Amino acid sequence: MPNTPPHNVPERFLNRELSWLAFNRRVVEEAEDSRHPLLERVRFLSIAAANLDEFFTVRVASLHAQEAGGSGPGDDGLTPARQLAAIRQEAPGLFAVQQNAWRVLRQEMADHRIPLLKTCELDASDLAHLEEHFMTEIYPLLTPVAVDPAHPFPFVANGHLALALLLHDPRMNKDIHAMVVMPRGVPRFLRLPRPDGEAGFVMLERTVQHFLPNLFPGFTVRESGFFRVLRDSEIDVQDDIQDQDNEDLTQSFERALRRRARGRVVLLTVNASMPEPLRGFLIERLDAAHEDVLLQHGLQGLADARQLIVADERPDLVFRPHQPHSNAVIQGFTQDAFATLRQGDLLLHHPYESFDLVINFLRQAAEDPFVLSIRQTLYRTGDDSPVVQALIAAAQNGKSVTAMVELKARFDEEANIHWARSLENAGVQVVYGFVSMKTHAKITLVVRREEGLLRSYAHFGTGNYHIGTARSYADLSFLTCDPELMADAMQMFNYMTGTAIPQPLRKASLAPLTLRTRLVELIEAEAQAARAGQPCGIWAKMNALVDPDIIDCLYRASQAGVPIELMIRGLCCLRPGVPGLSPTIRVSSMVGRFLEHSRILAFGHGHALPSPHALVFLSSADWMQRNFDRRVETLIPITHPDLHQRILREILTANLRDQRQTWLLHADGGYRKQAREGFCAHAHFLTGGGDATTD
């Protein structure tokens, strides 16, 4: 056990960046877990690789900006420079672990007749097919560039792969540098016609390398190597907006997206076999720092491995598809959502209960002649969004439709701009919320005329209105027509569209106005109960715990004796189980088949958990400074007795009982796997769930 960090020094916090790297290591471990089907392990590895790319383009880029701006130490006492140094020490090991996992998976895929072949392993028939494919589908998209004063070094976009060359020109009897950037819109892995249903692939870059004589006829290759760049992907539009007061916000974002495309290089990965002179040439031309160069053994851009998941052809190598649960209430909701909600609130646990039910609710609202208006927040929606289509249909049917589109949803900015324009063209009133804040709340508000009066219905979600992620993210949807929550939802939308500070809400809490204060009140009430010798407890489930003030508040509650269970899937800056600081806090992280994305809170309220007297909430917010202070987020109480107990005794209890997918955080910042066997929460939910306290 490490020395107890004093309460007034930064060592009481774990570093958020190193905590994130530890989380991604847990994802890689899922790729190494032979209990998962083979192609699902490939999927886990591709997710981990994509996560690590984003970490560099966003978090590491931000640290570079902080260092350049002279920022001081963070809450954990580390300056940006020290954090970058720590990342440079930790990240290569994580890259190496990913490559080791890839080598194992590649061999296992070959054993299961999904080989990734080298060009030297192909027979004459395969080579003939590959050459024809290269000449017709790839060659026309390639631009070989000889780098000299007349041919500048080509631009390599974020995440793209390129081939660097040192060629000898026999005509001029001199060496020249050359480049070939792998083309966009071409699969990374090229399918070969193989016998007996075998799925054989060849890498795009190796194909281009094999046919280099077609690109540089007569030249001799002296040196070569592949490289990949990751660029700063942060976006800042505030200066643009201040300079262009009357400009549409979408235009400012489009200009910022063009700048992002050419952001500075934050990581340059090169083949370990690339000769040092050629590597030095790249570093100079890309203006990359030597400390931001990573030599890689293996496949660069591992996120592309998801293209090898031939699930339709090999259902034996993926998770068995699950059938979403249904019951009489859900069937009634499917037929008439409004009549069902008038009978009582509804809770949906995705993906075990289909997100299509939420889409169906919107479609019913769009078609119902008694519905007068729909208001909706849109953060992430996907490329072909049925949510957006339902809103367009509603506007075309003459309803008043307002869409609060968040343009600052990272990496979904272009899609959201596209949808915003489609919505506007259909007659939807589109607003963009706040320039300085993201609107992260997930709310739909439907107003309907019934028997001469107006009645409202609402959906509050812990996840996004994204039909794709809803199939793999574990989230909760809460649907209700509770009059007090409807009044709160109305004020929330008026705040988002009109920016006027709302009157005190009746039941809900809203960031950045009251959510932080309400959360502190709830935690301190448990601490006060503990000091008075009363039963108490806190259960909290979320994706990230970073905010230092909330962590200190939890520390004080723990020191008062409150038993605290924190289910933090991703990064966590709190040190649990430290005597004198956090003795009663346990932190777990579940990583498994589904991504645990829901934010759920429970407070004993004078009783031990789980209790029918507890206070239970759903939220859109993780516990981070940005969520409390720079985002619009919701905290919604769940008071319906059946739903209240379902959340406590089924969902949260199952998460706490899980052994097979759960890691425990220790005071030194390390995570240890609970067990390889035992209770599995995801399996419990897939088989119908139920009261996990008696399972």
Side-chain angles (χ1 to χ4, degrees):
M1 177 65 67
N3 293 330
T4 302
H7 300 177
N8 59 346
V9 297
E11 284 78 8
R12 68 190 188 279
F13 301 122
L14 298 170
N15 177 260
R16 66 166 287 169
E17 316 305 347
L18 299 182
S19 179
W20 190 97
L21 291 175
F23 160 66
N24 214 43
R25 180 65 181 86
R26 300 196 293 280
V27 179
V28 176
E29 291 239 1
E30 295 302 305
E32 298 171 330
D33 191 338
S34 60
R35 295 174 302 175
H36 295 313
L38 175 59
L39 295 182
E40 299 296 351
R41 292 164 59 196
V42 175
R43 194 188 312 276
F44 278 118
L45 185 60
S46 71
I47 290 170
N51 287 348
L52 195 54
D53 285 352
E54 183 175 340
F55 175 77
F56 273 89
T57 60
V58 176
R59 294 305 311 164
V60 172
S62 177
L63 288 172
H64 278 297
Q66 292 174 40
E67 182 182 33
S71 298
D75 298 313
D76 58 0
L78 297 180
T79 63
R82 288 183 61 193
Q83 292 183 69
L84 287 168
I87 291 167
R88 289 168 181 144
Q89 183 175 1
E90 291 290 328
L94 183 52
F95 278 106
V97 167
Q98 289 184 161
Q99 292 297 333
N100 289 337
W102 167 245
R103 281 189 283 273
V104 172
L105 290 171
R106 180 172 178 173
Q107 181 57 55
E108 291 189 32
M109 290 174 67
D111 294 342
H112 285 81
R113 299 177 57 77
I114 311 175
L116 181 57
L117 301 164
K118 300 177 182 178
T119 53
C120 63
E121 298 173 323
L122 303 182
D123 59 24
S125 175
D126 284 334
L127 282 173
H129 171 83
L130 192 63
E131 182 174 17
E132 180 182 3
H133 182 82
F134 173 80
M135 295 304 298
T136 58
E137 299 293 330
I138 300 173
Y139 179 76
L141 303 176
L142 296 174
T143 304
V145 175
V147 181
D148 58 30
H151 304 87
F153 190 91
F155 176 73
V156 183
N158 181 40
H160 280 226
L161 190 68
L163 175 61
L165 299 158
L166 180 65
L167 302 174
H168 181 70
D169 183 352
R171 297 168 301 174
M172 304 295 294
N173 193 28
K174 70 174 184 177
D175 291 344
I176 62 169
H177 286 103
M179 296 274 298
V180 183
V181 179
M182 297 303 107
R184 304 184 186 206
V186 176
R188 176 79 183 278
F189 303 98
L190 310 176
R191 184 76 179 262
L192 293 172
R194 306 295 291 168
D196 303 324
E198 181 178 271
F201 294 90
V202 178
M203 286 188 286
L204 168 66
E205 60 267 31
R206 295 302 179 185
T207 301
V208 171
Q209 188 177 40
H210 183 81
F211 293 109
L212 269 179
N214 297 78
L215 299 172
F216 298 100
F219 286 75
T220 302
V221 178
R222 292 198 183 278
E223 297 178 359
S224 68
F226 293 99
F227 70 95
R228 183 170 179 263
V229 297
L230 294 178
R231 297 181 179 274
D232 182 347
S233 294
E234 285 285 81
I235 279 186
D236 184 0
V237 299
Q238 294 201 48
D239 290 341
D240 279 350
I241 293 167
Q242 290 170 2
D243 294 339
Q244 306 286 339
D245 288 337
N246 296 320
E247 182 179 62
D248 190 310
L249 185 60
T250 58
Q251 296 177 27
S252 297
F253 264 92
E254 288 171 328
R255 188 162 53 248
L257 287 168
R258 289 192 291 271
R259 287 199 305 270
R260 180 171 75 180
R262 305 192 72 86
R264 59 154 290 181
V265 174
V266 293
L267 184 69
L268 169 64
T269 61
V270 300
N271 289 136
S273 60
M274 181 184 288
E276 194 281 330
L278 186 57
R279 190 191 321 151
F281 168 76
L282 289 176
I283 293 171
E284 176 188 358
R285 292 305 180 99
L286 289 166
D287 194 24
H290 284 271
E291 58 268 27
D292 294 327
V293 178
L294 178 71
L295 304 185
Q296 277 212 295
H297 299 271
L299 180 67
Q300 297 190 56
L302 266 173
D304 292 336
R306 63 183 178 273
Q307 297 178 19
L308 296 168
I309 301 173
V310 286
D312 291 341
E313 299 171 51
R314 297 300 303 270
D316 57 315
L317 299 181
V318 295
F319 288 128
R320 182 181 302 174
H322 71 280
Q323 186 67 31
H325 306 318
S326 186
N327 55 41
V329 174
I330 287 176
Q331 292 170 9
F333 181 78
T334 302
Q335 297 299 318
D336 190 336
F338 306 111
T340 301
L341 293 179
R342 287 195 296 273
Q343 297 300 313
D345 299 341
L346 179 64
L347 182 76
L348 300 173
H349 190 190
H350 310 304
Y352 315 104
E353 292 159 333
S354 176
F355 189 76
D356 288 344
L357 294 162
V358 178
I359 306 300
N360 181 267
F361 168 67
L362 284 168
R363 287 172 176 160
Q364 287 186 49
E367 299 296 330
D368 189 317
F370 299 104
V371 167
L372 302 179
S373 74
I374 303 174
R375 302 189 196 186
Q376 173 111 36
T377 61
L378 295 174
Y379 188 72
R380 299 193 193 278
T381 58
D383 295 331
D384 186 16
S385 173
V387 172
V388 173
Q389 296 300 337
L391 296 179
I392 290 174
Q396 292 172 340
N397 288 336
K399 305 182 190 310
S400 172
V401 182
T402 302
M404 172 51 247
V405 179
E406 180 48 76
L407 296 181
K408 296 183 286 297
R410 184 179 291 125
F411 303 124
D412 277 341
E413 299 96 344
E414 290 181 87
N416 286 3
I417 289 172
H418 165 73
W419 286 125
R421 288 181 170 152
S422 297
L423 288 163
E424 286 179 329
N425 290 337
V428 174
Q429 176 67 44
V430 176
V431 294
Y432 302 114
F434 303 88
V435 172
S436 59
M437 294 190 296
K438 286 184 179 180
T439 301
H440 193 247
K442 283 77 179 180
I443 317 172
T444 303
L445 181 64
V446 175
V447 179
R448 189 171 187 265
R449 185 174 296 282
E450 298 175 1
E451 298 178 352
L453 300 175
L454 297 182
R455 185 195 294 266
S456 297
Y457 300 81
H459 168 270
F460 299 97
T462 64
N464 299 304
Y465 291 107
H466 192 301
I467 193 68
T469 58
R471 297 189 183 101
S472 58
Y473 284 26
D475 270 306
L476 293 177
S477 284
F478 174 56
L479 295 111
T480 181
C481 60
D482 176 279
E484 292 186 296
L485 283 176
M486 297 307 95
D488 286 349
M490 187 72 69
Q491 287 211 69
M492 291 175 186
F493 273 108
N494 289 345
Y495 173 59
M496 289 183 278
T497 61
T499 72
I501 301 297
Q503 297 297 314
L505 301 179
R506 302 182 185 187
K507 285 188 174 181
S509 300
L510 184 69
L513 304 175
T514 60
L515 200 157
R516 176 190 288 276
T517 302
R518 178 61 172 147
L519 187 57
V520 170
E521 290 173 350
L522 291 164
I523 297 172
E524 290 185 343
E526 296 303 307
Q528 185 175 351
R531 296 186 191 101
Q534 298 173 356
C536 56
I538 298 173
W539 292 357
K541 179 180 182 298
M542 66 199 76
N543 299 289
L545 172 57
V546 173
D547 187 90
D549 293 336
I550 295 297
I551 292 175
D552 279 339
C553 195
L554 290 169
Y555 284 155
R556 291 192 296 271
S558 179
Q559 292 154 26
V562 180
I564 302 174
E565 292 279 0
L566 301 175
M567 293 152 271
I568 315 296
R569 175 181 59 85
L571 56 95
C572 178
C573 296
L574 177 147
R575 290 185 187 270
V578 178
L581 180 70
S582 55
T584 64
I585 302 179
R586 177 182 181 268
V587 176
S588 60
S589 170
M590 187 190 298
V591 181
R593 174 174 179 175
F594 301 113
L595 186 146
E596 288 293 332
H597 191 253
S598 57
R599 291 92 169 186
I600 313 172
L601 315 178
F603 300 89
H605 195 52
H607 299 269
L609 294 171
S611 164
H613 303 285
L615 301 178
V616 174
F617 302 86
L618 301 184
S619 182
S620 62
D622 293 316
W623 289 1
M624 307 175 75
Q625 294 100 315
R626 70 185 189 190
N627 298 81
F628 295 137
D629 304 329
R630 302 190 302 278
R631 289 191 174 191
V632 178
E633 305 271 17
T634 57
L635 181 70
I636 307 298
I638 304 298
T639 57
H640 187 289
D642 292 342
L643 308 189
H644 179 281
Q645 285 300 282
R646 183 185 178 196
I647 290 171
L648 278 177
R649 301 184 68 86
E650 178 183 338
I651 298 171
L652 287 181
T653 298
N655 275 261
L656 291 173
R657 282 191 58 197
D658 183 88
Q659 294 174 292
R660 287 184 55 184
Q661 305 169 126
T662 294
W663 302 70
L664 294 182
L665 173 61
H666 291 250
D668 61 0
Y671 284 82
R672 277 76 162 178
K673 192 71 174 281
Q674 272 269 74
R676 288 184 59 84
E677 304 301 331
F679 182 82
C680 176
H682 289 173
H684 171 77
F685 295 136
L686 283 169
T687 55
D691 191 333
T693 63
T694 59
D695 184 74

